[in-house]
Amino acid sequence: MKIVSHYLQGIADVGFFPSISLLIFFLFFAGMLWWTFKKSNKEFFTEMESYALDEDGVNPSSEAKE
């Protein structure tokens, strides 16, 4: 670890990279929360909730639509 910290001390503005990483993580997390709770996904989640219980992976409600 001393070798890595020695090289990192030589880089100017090395404290800038953790800030960028935090910003990217926060934007991704906020985007996932927005996508999860938007109202247009309700039909998608309703259809997906029964997939784990299907034996062949085909949802009966999707067969009725065809």
Side-chain angles (χ1 to χ4, degrees), residues 18-60:
S19 301
I20 294 297
S21 299
L22 179 64
L23 180 65
I24 291 171
F25 171 76
F26 178 75
L27 290 175
F28 177 78
F29 184 74
M32 290 302 293
L33 280 177
W34 172 76
W35 180 80
T36 302
F37 291 112
K38 69 180 183 177
K39 291 191 183 256
S40 63
N41 277 344
K42 185 173 184 173
E43 181 179 322
F44 173 76
F45 287 123
T46 303
E47 186 176 335
M48 291 292 150
E49 68 187 4
S50 65
Y51 277 0
L53 301 176
D54 292 341
E55 291 181 16
D56 58 356
V58 177
N59 191 352

Side-chain angles (χ1 to χ4, degrees), residues 1-9:
M1 190 65 186
K2 288 184 180 185
I3 295 172
V4 174
S5 64
H6 172 69
Y7 287 113
L8 288 178
Q9 289 174 355

